[in-house]
Each structure stands twice: as structure tokens, then as C-alpha cells.
Amino acid sequence: MSNDNFGFPYEPYDIQKDFMKALYDVLSESKIGIFESPTGTGKSLSLICGSLQWLTDHADQLLDTTTEMTTCTTTSQKDDDNEPDWLRSFVVEDKKQHQHQRQLEKKQDLQRRIDHVRLYEKTASLYQRKTELDNSFIQKKFKKSKSSNSSDDNDDKYLLDDYDSEDDEFGGSRNGQRRKTFPVGSSNSNLSKEVLNLLASLNEKSLDASEQKELANGLNGANDEDDFEQRKIFYASRTHSQLSQFIHEIGKTKYAEHIWIVALGSRKNLCINEKVRSLGGVHRINEACLDLQKKGTESERCSYLPLMKEKGQWQSFQEHALAQVQDIEDLCKKGKELHICPYYGTRQTTKPAQLVVLPYQHLLHANTRESLGISLKGNIIIIDEAHNLMETISSIHTVTISLSQLLLALSQIRMYIEKYLSRLLGKNTIYIKQMITILKAFVKVLESKDKKDTVLTVNDFVHLTGIDHFNLFKLQKYLESSQLAKKLNGFYDKVREQQQELYQKQLVSNPKAILPPLLAQKTSSSSIPTLHQVESFMMCLTHPDNDGRIVITFGTSGNDSSSTEPQIKYMLLNPADVFKPIVDEARSIILAGGTMEPVSDFTRGLFPSIPVDKIHHFSCGHIIPSDNLLTMTIDQGPTGKSMLFNYANREDTQLIDEVGRCLVNLCNVVPDGLVCFFASFTYLDTVYRRWNTVESGNILERLNKKKKVFKEPRESNKVDSTLRDYSLHIESQTARNQTTGAILLSVVNGKMSEGINFSDRLGRCVVMVGLPFPNRFSVELNEKIKYADSHVPSNGEKSNNMGQEYYENLCMRGVNQSIGRAIRHKGDYASIVLLDKRYASPRISKKLPGWIGGSIEHCDNFGKAMGKTARFFNEKKKSTIV
């Protein structure tokens, strides 16, 4: 370790030093780390400095990607020669050293070029002059020419090429000659499926074979001549704004000057072709981008995508991308300056980069990693905001198709085969008819007269629908190779456009013209084309039987049904299975968050086969003084009513009224803002209606006299305005030296419970009403509980009653996220009130955040709680005056 401060830009607190040292040690020992650091404790900077210090200290560790292959080759030749073992070992070691030296030379060469760019950009006048010269050059070289759109009117582009599943080749041309293709897994290619599919669909007017391969290698970041790979850190978080904030934090540190960093994003975020960007939807942007790459002439292709023969432009982007710490917006600006696509430019930059910043989806989805050319082998993975990681993984790999989507897909594919049946070659017709049979089987299930929700294993569902005689693996391969979903979607959109134009013309002469059936047909509300959704669902049917369930619902049962029509859902039960390739490949994995308790969920749900001693849990205390936080569990309300919000009691009007009386009393001693969390919107609405009655003693009116009452809206587009009004009311009272403030009634796992900052006066007190256990009548939840009960971890952990443990952990994770909204920085202070006697039980209290620690005070009656709260805020008032 270079120093105790790890290059922290400020004098670090002791807990930050402990965090960075623990992180450094976990990386050194190739362990898995679960790090909990509450908001306000400098978690991002601690992650940056601890990990990048380790990376700096091990900067000479290049990844020798061909070493294993060399070793295997040497071993396979062992029986064919009489060389002694020491000589063979010497040869292998010599090759390793030679390879390592070449890698170092490539790295040094790139470093020289990056240093040149950095020096160039430090001089403002020279940089300005360079920009003007570049713009002048670009305008001359890339002056756009108008191209004919006649090809867009040719329906042949939607026609599938010949397909023969026996030799697994795809792409016979119409004149009988077979085009050169690069099959997946070919020894001639290390290209991603996305690029291979692109090459397979190029026609005779496209680039010649050598240009195809050069372009594909460039798009996939595969340039063996110049690329090298070194150990790197992959940092992932949930949102674009969180990634930008992380990159901004790096800029505050010394590492910004010498660590090579690149941010990855989707085409939607990185595309700089305005015509493509204007399409809006992710799928439309992706398909338009790939279509532009197929054009036969340079004027038709995307002007931001040079061929690999123009290698200098790709290298220029790489040098400029690595020369400075840049977020997605910066990379887009750089792409425009250099007139090169930042989406493919960043992929070209991934291999030499030392820190790759990317969204969850890019890391957690295997096909996405493959298409981006991301290799995790021997590298470090940091997943921030990881408290909902398992739910995120399950969500990414859960697919739902509705009855209307299935009917639409059937309609589309029938139209398609009606037009092209006589012209389809090879086995296209066989596979398309199989698709029609499968779609009809799914529709039959959802049109069943027995409208009873059902949960099935994958095998049982396949037998129920009668599709067990189809080879779904071969069908999956066909769908990937033929790109049927993409061509079908393009064909369908074209037919709709033609009918829309015809209908508009008819309206001119006949205002009562009948709307064509195709235009009247209900389209999918999903941004994903219909057959793509069906294809994704069918791929789930090839997953291991025990890892998921098929849930058939009819939209008429359940307390909180999110669908009003029948649907089939594949639900992933085992996130550990899809996360396992990441665990197997990475050197070390770090899960970090403000609140990671209960930790047992991660050790059992994501790392069931990892020995307990290989998993390190670090939980740092808060940076606030211990007397800045008051946490209380309360057993009884003001009138002595027991605070027990179990399923049998929660609708009790006397208990609801008792909660109201608790809040009325707390409002007398809590200044400024008070945030109160309820288990669900349904329960909040029930409570709110009761408090607005005379029978309750007009509790809502009494609350409004103490503090103005705000209520979290169900509609997400109204959340911002509610928060704004809540904040403005408190601020306006502060300006008038009033402290009555406002009260915000919110919902656990709602918009207010995660990512919202209730610091200082906005959240002087957080009240949690009951334990927000999920709906036990949910068929999906019950399946997950059964799965937890039936699977014993193999890492030595205890496994008694795992289903109940899982159920409690779901509840407590929501609690912990909600109560973490209040304390947001070193000088902040707040009270946390837990209204339910069960919070005092050891089984529940041990699952509260680590930063609360042993400071929880148990109040068996409400009077004690009021006394403690009053003293707490009086002390804070005195210290503020002093």
C-alpha cells in the first residue's frame, strides 16, 4: 500500500480509512466483499480511492490472454516428443515473457499517444485552434450527399435467406451462390453474435469480404494488432445519473491524471446520428444503426462509422477518450468533434482501459456482455447501490407475454408467410410453421375457460402446451440466425405505413371511409417488438427446470394485480445461476451500498457455493456523532393500544387511530419535516380515509394544524411536484423562523423510500408504521419462498427455515432503505421511530442497518418515547443556539 490516505482528496475520517483498507485487502486476497456505508460517509470516494490505489500498485499486471492456450498446446504435444519437462516449462515461460514484453510495449506506445493528447488539450489556444481545424476538415471530408430511398421500397429486404439447420449455415444468396459467412464459434472469428448477424445479412452491394471483417473487428473492439488487455475494474450502478456522479467523483482524485477510464452506455445514450436518435425507442435505434451498417456505399452508411482501414480515426477516439475523465455526455461531444461514433468508439476503448464504468444491464446480462466484447476474466467487479441486486437480476431475466401480444404476433407472422411463402427457401417454412403452432398453443392456454392462476415448472408448461416434441434449442438457433423477429417487425411496420397512407387518401374523398383492420388492431404497449418478446420468452423455456417457474395469470385475481388481461410469465427463482459466470470469471467482486442488511440474502442467494471465509462483510458506522441519532422501538401508543401491525390487526380502526395520535403527539416536539412510511399504497389510502372521518376524532384535521400534511401520489409523474411543495413549505416556514414544518405520508418501496434525500430540515424524524411484509397471497412470492426452503447452500451456512428468512429479509430491506432517508451528512441529526413491538425482538432488530448499531432504545410505552424525543430535539436546539 502506498499510503494510509489512499490518495483521498481530503483528510479522510477513520471510518473511511477503515473502508479503504478493508477494500484493498479484499482485492489483494481475491475475495468477495459486501460493503455497507451509509449515505454521507463518502462511499463513492472510498470505493474509488481504495480500488484504484490497489490497481495502481498492480499496474504492471497485464492479462496474458493467450497464455492458457499456449500452455494447453504445449501439454497436448507432450506425448509426441521426448523433450524433458524442464525444457517444455522453459519454452512456455519464455513465450509468456515474450508475450508480456509485447503487451508492455503496446501499453507504452498508447501511453505516449495519450500523453501527447493530454499535453495538446492543456493548452487552451492550441486546443481551440485544433477544434476549428478539425471542424473545417470534417466539413470538407464528410459533406453529406443525398441518397436515393428507392431501396426502402423494396419488400425483398424483409425476405429471409436460405436456412439449413443440418450444416448450420445461414445466408445463401438468391442466385444460388452462397455468401461468405462467419458462423458463431468458427475458428476464423472471435466476433460477437450481434456483429456476426450483421455480416450474415450483408448483400452483394455491401463491402467486400476483407472490408466486412475489418469493420466487424473494429466494431467489436477486436484489433489484435494493436490491442492489449490489462487488469481492470468494472464499476456498475443502476442509473445514468449515478454513473455520471461516480465519474465526477473520480475527477476530484489524483487518479484522474493517470488511470485510463471509459464509460459504456447504450446506443440511445451514445448515438450522435441525429436521424437515428430521433427514433426514440431503444429497439428502433438499435435496428436503424445496424441497418445503416449494411448499406453498400459510403454515402448510404452512417458517416460516423469509418472502416477499419481508416484506423487513425478509431485510434484518435481511443486516445481522446482515455486522455481525460469523461462521462457519457463528454464522450458524445468528443465523438462529434472527431466525427466518429462514440458507441463503437467506447467498445474499441474497453480493452486498454483500466476502469470501465457501465450500467447494470451491460454487466448482468450475458448476451449484452458478449455483444460488447466484455471479458471479466481475472478482473475486478464493483457493483454499487447493490441492495436490490438480486431483484434486479431476477427482473432482467423475467419475461412476460400477454394474450394481446400473442394474438398480434400470430397476425403478423401469418401476414408475413402469406406474402413470402412461395419465395422462402430451405427450412424457413418449417420453422415459421413451428412458431405459429407454438403461438397458437400459448393463446389456447390464456383463452382457457378455467380462469385460475397457475404456477408450473418449465417442463410441466411445455407438456401442458403440447410443444414438447419441438427442439427448442434448434428453434432458438434459427431465430437468432435468421433475425425473423427483426424482419417481421420491419415488414409489419411497412405494411401499416402503406395502409395508413392509403386510408388518409380515402378520407379526402370519403370522410366515412372504414378503418382497415390492420390499423384497428391493438398494438403492443411494450417498447420491445412483439415477436422479440415472444422469442425472449421461448428462450426461457430452455433454462434449467428448477431455476424458474411459469406463472399463468388472468388479471382478475390477487389484491394488487398489475395486469388486466391474461398473461404468461417466466419468473427466475435462482439469480445465483445467472450470476455464477460472473463469480467464476472475476478475480474479486465488491457489492456496495448504503444499506446492505440483511447480508444473509447475498451470501445465500448469490454466492451459495462460495466458502464463508471467502466472503468479507464490512459495515462502517456513521460519520455523525452518536448523539445525533435517536432510534426507538415503541410497544404501545398514547392510549396503551398495542403496536402490533400483523395481518389480523392492521385493518383495526382503533389501531389506525392510535397511529394518528402517535403522529399528532410527535408533531408537538419534532421540528420541521417528519416523514412517515406505510407498508403499501393500499394501506396508506385506508389510513388516510379513516383519519378524515369524525369517528377517528378528525385526526387529519388535527395533524394539519400541527404540520401541513402531504401524501405520496401513486402516479410517478406527480412525485416531483409533491416533493417540491413539501420542501418549499418547510423552507418558507424556516424563512419566517417557524418550525412547525410539514409531514409527508409515504410508502415503503415507493418513490420516496429510495434515492430521495430528506436531509436536515426535510427529515428530522422518520416514522415506520409496522413491518412492511410483502403480500403472502402472491403466487410468485410463495414460489420464491418454497424455492428458498428447498435449496440448501453448499458454503457451510446454516439453512434452517430459509423461506421464512427470505420473507423477513424482503421486509427488512424495505425498512432499511426507508429509514436511511434522514441522515445524509456529518452535521445532520434525526430521530427514527419504529412503531411495532416486533422491532424489539432480536430476530428483527439484528437485521436493521449496521450504522444504527446497538443504539436502539426500547420504549415499552409511548410516554417514554415522547420524553426521549423532546429531550433529543431540545438538546439540538440548544447546541444550535450556542
Side-chain angles (χ1 to χ4, degrees):
M1 231 179 307
S2 296
N3 56 64
D4 291 337
N5 288 352
F6 295 87
F8 208 80
Y10 319 108
E11 180 60 34
Y13 303 118
D14 287 341
I15 59 173
Q16 292 168 338
K17 290 181 181 179
D18 293 342
F19 184 108
M20 291 184 286
K21 185 180 184 305
L23 176 59
Y24 193 101
D25 291 343
V26 167
L27 299 182
S28 297
E29 297 167 14
S30 301
K31 289 185 175 182
I32 289 169
I34 301 175
F35 283 72
E36 182 179 52
S37 179
T39 301
T41 56
K43 171 170 61 72
S44 294
L45 275 175
S46 298
L47 280 172
I48 291 167
C49 294
S51 61
L52 293 187
Q53 183 64 61
W54 185 91
L55 194 66
T56 301
D57 292 345
H58 300 80
D60 60 339
Q61 293 186 359
L62 299 173
L63 292 181
D64 298 329
T65 54
T66 62
T67 297
E68 290 186 10
M69 182 179 68
T70 304
T71 305
C72 293
T73 303
T74 305
T75 304
S76 67
Q77 294 173 346
K78 184 175 181 179
D79 296 333
D80 299 332
D81 56 51
N82 297 317
E83 293 178 351
D85 290 343
W86 66 265
L87 182 57
R88 276 193 298 270
S89 298
F90 175 80
V91 172
V92 171
E93 189 61 33
D94 184 60
K95 287 183 178 180
K96 285 183 180 180
Q97 291 180 4
H98 179 68
Q99 180 194 46
H100 188 73
Q101 183 61 35
R102 288 184 60 198
Q103 296 270 64
L104 282 175
E105 289 171 359
K106 291 176 183 178
K107 180 178 180 180
Q108 290 165 0
D109 177 61
L110 181 55
Q111 182 67 66
R112 282 192 295 269
R113 288 185 274 126
I114 290 174
D115 289 342
H116 178 73
V117 171
R118 285 173 175 168
L119 181 63
Y120 207 54
E121 293 185 343
K122 280 181 181 178
T123 308
S125 59
L126 288 177
Y127 180 75
Q128 180 63 33
R129 182 183 173 192
K130 175 182 180 298
T131 303
E132 292 171 357
L133 289 173
D134 281 353
N135 288 340
S136 175
F137 170 75
I138 288 166
Q139 289 171 5
K140 291 177 182 177
K141 183 171 182 179
F142 297 99
K143 189 175 182 180
K144 291 185 179 180
S145 60
K146 294 182 180 180
S147 59
S148 170
N149 292 325
S150 59
S151 62
D152 292 339
D153 297 325
N154 185 2
D155 287 343
D156 283 354
K157 67 180 179 179
Y158 304 120
L159 181 59
L160 296 169
D161 288 316
D162 188 8
Y163 183 81
D164 190 339
S165 61
E166 300 307 319
D167 62 10
D168 292 325
E169 279 196 15
F170 175 80
S173 63
R174 293 290 138 197
N175 60 10
Q177 282 190 318
R178 188 172 295 278
R179 290 195 306 275
K180 175 67 176 176
T181 62
F182 299 93
V184 176
S186 166
S187 60
N188 296 328
S189 175
N190 60 353
L191 312 182
S192 69
K193 289 181 181 178
E194 181 185 27
V195 176
L196 289 166
N197 289 335
L198 164 63
L199 293 180
S201 60
L202 291 171
N203 56 34
E204 285 80 357
K205 290 183 179 180
S206 300
L207 314 174
D208 62 38
S210 63
E211 288 177 321
Q212 291 177 15
K213 192 167 183 178
E214 283 183 6
L215 176 59
N217 274 305
L219 300 188
N220 202 36
N223 189 348
D224 295 335
E225 182 182 345
D226 297 310
D227 275 353
F228 63 92
E229 188 124 19
Q230 59 185 330
R231 197 171 308 281
K232 57 173 60 67
I233 295 172
F234 288 94
Y235 171 89
S237 194
R238 289 180 305 155
T239 66
H240 179 66
S241 60
Q242 287 169 342
L243 294 174
S244 294
Q245 183 179 354
F246 181 81
I247 292 171
H248 177 72
E249 292 292 297
I250 296 173
K252 298 177 182 178
T253 70
K254 68 175 185 180
Y255 304 102
E257 299 177 3
H258 63 270
I259 292 290
W260 297 346
I261 302 166
V262 66
L264 297 182
S266 65
R267 283 187 179 90
K268 185 173 183 179
N269 288 325
L270 281 168
C271 178
I272 56 176
N273 186 320
E274 292 301 329
K275 186 176 180 181
V276 176
R277 284 178 61 87
S278 64
L279 297 174
V282 175
H283 254 276
R284 291 188 178 275
I285 289 175
N286 289 345
E287 292 188 359
C289 173
L290 293 173
D291 285 341
L292 283 174
Q293 295 167 30
K294 301 175 191 176
K295 302 299 184 180
T297 64
E298 185 175 348
S299 62
E300 290 178 315
R301 293 196 309 275
C302 179
S303 64
Y304 295 103
L305 200 60
L307 299 178
M308 283 310 295
K309 64 177 65 174
E310 301 174 47
K311 189 164 54 177
Q313 285 183 264
W314 291 104
Q315 286 185 345
S316 180
F317 182 89
Q318 187 182 79
E319 293 156 10
H320 283 80
L322 297 177
Q324 294 181 340
V325 176
Q326 301 176 86
D327 62 15
I328 295 293
E329 287 75 15
D330 296 326
L331 291 169
C332 286
K333 292 177 184 176
K334 191 63 63 179
K336 290 178 180 178
E337 289 175 14
L338 301 174
H339 205 88
I340 192 166
C341 173
Y343 174 72
Y344 284 112
T346 52
R347 286 169 60 167
Q348 179 82 359
T349 309
T350 301
K351 275 193 175 180
Q354 295 166 287
L355 175 60
V356 179
V357 179
L358 71 171
Y360 272 5
Q361 175 78 15
H362 287 38
L363 175 70
L364 299 176
H365 198 271
N367 288 344
T368 305
R369 290 198 306 274
E370 182 183 357
S371 71
L372 292 173
I374 290 175
S375 172
L376 304 178
K377 190 170 184 179
N379 291 317
I380 294 163
I381 296 168
I382 298 177
I383 302 178
D384 202 359
E385 300 297 326
H387 53 275
N388 284 330
L389 179 59
M390 287 189 296
E391 287 77 9
T392 301
I393 294 172
S394 296
S395 176
I396 288 174
H397 294 86
T398 292
V399 182
T400 302
I401 51 172
S402 65
L403 178 59
S404 61
Q405 286 177 312
L406 290 169
L407 292 173
L408 179 59
L410 258 179
S411 172
Q412 291 175 347
I413 204 166
R414 282 169 171 164
M415 285 174 52
Y416 182 87
I417 201 169
E418 181 179 344
K419 180 174 180 64
Y420 292 111
L421 178 60
S422 62
R423 301 164 63 189
L424 290 172
L425 302 178
K427 296 189 176 180
N428 281 298
T429 305
I430 295 174
Y431 282 115
I432 290 177
K433 287 183 176 180
Q434 285 185 13
M435 281 295 300
I436 291 175
T437 302
I438 291 172
L439 287 169
K440 289 168 69 175
F442 292 169
V443 168
K444 184 178 179 181
V445 168
L446 293 182
E447 289 183 339
S448 168
K449 293 181 180 179
D450 182 13
K451 304 293 183 182
K452 184 179 179 182
D453 293 354
T454 310
V455 180
L456 301 167
T457 66
V458 171
N459 286 343
D460 287 344
F461 176 77
V462 169
H463 287 291
L464 172 70
T465 52
I467 63 173
D468 48 309
H469 60 287
F470 291 125
N471 188 326
L472 294 179
F473 292 96
K474 292 186 72 172
L475 185 56
Q476 174 185 0
K477 185 175 182 180
Y478 167 76
L479 291 172
E480 289 177 350
S481 301
S482 68
Q483 298 186 53
L484 173 63
K486 177 185 173 184
K487 293 191 175 185
L488 179 62
N489 189 60
F491 166 74
Y492 183 74
D493 286 347
K494 184 65 179 292
V495 174
R496 281 182 63 90
E497 288 173 11
Q498 292 173 344
Q499 291 202 8
Q500 183 68 44
E501 290 175 6
L502 181 62
Y503 178 62
Q504 293 298 330
K505 291 178 181 178
Q506 290 175 345
L507 286 177
V508 174
S509 58
N510 180 16
K512 294 184 179 180
I514 299 175
L515 187 70
L518 186 62
L519 298 182
Q521 190 176 49
K522 182 179 179 182
T523 58
S524 172
S525 59
S526 171
S527 61
I528 302 175
T530 305
L531 198 62
H532 275 293
Q533 189 81 353
V534 176
E535 183 180 331
S536 297
F537 177 79
M538 289 178 58
M539 298 311 98
C540 295
L541 301 183
T542 63
H543 293 175
D545 192 53
N546 290 331
D547 287 353
R549 293 290 181 271
I550 302 296
V551 182
I552 304 171
T553 56
F554 294 90
T556 55
S557 63
N559 296 330
D560 191 23
S561 179
S562 58
S563 173
T564 57
E565 66 171 325
Q567 63 181 23
I568 307 172
K569 175 190 289 186
Y570 173 82
M571 176 181 65
L572 182 70
L573 293 178
N574 181 19
D577 186 61
V578 294
F579 198 63
K580 189 176 186 298
I582 297 177
V583 177
D584 290 344
E585 291 185 17
R587 171 192 172 92
S588 187
I589 297 175
I590 305 298
L591 307 184
T595 301
M596 296 299 290
E597 290 288 355
V599 171
S600 59
D601 261 10
F602 298 101
T603 56
R604 295 166 184 167
L606 289 180
F607 311 111
S609 59
I610 303 297
V612 177
D613 61 357
K614 292 289 289 182
I615 301 175
H616 180 79
H617 175 217
F618 176 89
S619 180
C620 70
H622 221 301
I623 55 174
I624 61 170
S626 59
D627 58 0
N628 274 22
L629 177 66
L630 172 65
T631 305
M632 299 177 293
T633 65
I634 300 178
D635 290 355
Q636 296 179 351
T639 65
K641 180 73 175 176
S642 176
M643 295 281 101
L644 180 60
F645 294 85
N646 57 21
Y647 187 77
N649 295 341
R650 63 199 301 264
E651 300 292 333
D652 181 357
T653 55
Q654 293 183 11
L655 183 58
I656 292 173
D657 294 346
E658 192 79 340
V659 173
R661 287 187 282 269
C662 287
L663 294 181
V664 169
N665 280 278
L666 286 171
C667 286
N668 288 326
V669 294
V670 174
D672 304 312
L674 186 153
V675 184
C676 182
F677 286 99
F678 294 84
S680 66
F681 279 107
T682 301
Y683 191 54
L684 172 57
D685 290 341
T686 299
V687 171
Y688 197 83
R689 284 194 301 270
R690 171 65 187 179
W691 287 352
N692 205 23
T693 63
V694 175
E695 291 78 10
S696 71
N698 295 312
I699 288 175
L700 193 60
E701 182 180 336
R702 292 165 60 191
L703 278 173
N704 266 308
K705 288 180 180 179
K706 307 284 185 180
K707 294 180 183 291
K708 185 171 182 179
V709 178
F710 293 86
K711 180 170 168 277
E712 179 175 353
R714 286 178 181 262
E715 303 85 354
S716 58
N717 60 347
K718 295 181 180 179
V719 170
D720 287 345
S721 59
T722 302
L723 279 172
R724 184 182 62 250
D725 293 344
Y726 171 76
S727 303
L728 288 174
H729 183 79
I730 293 174
E731 290 173 7
S732 65
Q733 290 216 317
T734 302
R736 297 194 297 268
N737 292 322
Q738 296 178 345
T739 58
T740 52
I743 181 170
L744 179 60
L745 308 178
S746 306
V747 175
V748 175
N749 296 323
K751 294 291 184 181
M752 307 289 190
S753 69
E754 191 168 337
I756 302 298
N757 187 345
F758 292 115
S759 64
D760 300 319
R761 289 185 169 89
L762 296 183
R764 287 302 180 207
C765 181
V766 173
V767 178
M768 179 63 59
V769 179
L771 283 159
F773 284 104
N775 178 15
R776 193 59 192 266
F777 293 100
S778 164
V779 291
E780 296 181 24
L781 176 61
N782 278 320
E783 285 302 314
K784 291 184 178 181
I785 291 173
K786 289 178 187 176
Y787 180 85
D789 273 333
S790 62
H791 285 75
V792 179
S794 59
N795 58 6
E797 279 197 283
K798 294 180 180 179
S799 58
N800 296 331
N801 204 2
M802 297 298 296
Q804 181 63 25
E805 182 85 0
Y806 170 79
Y807 186 51
E808 289 177 358
N809 289 353
L810 279 178
C811 166
M812 293 308 296
R813 192 171 297 112
V815 170
N816 294 343
Q817 283 301 306
S818 299
I819 63 180
R821 299 303 93 207
I823 303 292
R824 311 301 285 181
H825 60 85
K826 181 183 179 182
D828 209 353
Y829 62 91
S831 171
I832 297 172
V833 178
L834 305 172
L835 286 182
D836 196 305
K837 63 190 301 182
R838 290 173 293 180
Y839 280 111
S841 69
R843 185 179 178 93
I844 297 299
S845 62
K846 72 178 183 180
K847 296 180 179 180
L848 288 166
W851 50 269
I852 289 180
S855 62
I856 304 173
E857 301 191 29
H858 176 219
C859 301
D860 55 7
N861 64 73
F862 190 74
K864 289 182 181 179
M866 280 297 294
K868 291 177 183 292
T869 305
R871 284 193 297 273
F872 176 78
F873 286 108
N874 281 333
E875 289 298 322
K876 295 305 162 192
K877 185 176 181 180
K878 290 177 183 178
S879 62
T880 303
I881 295 174
V882 173

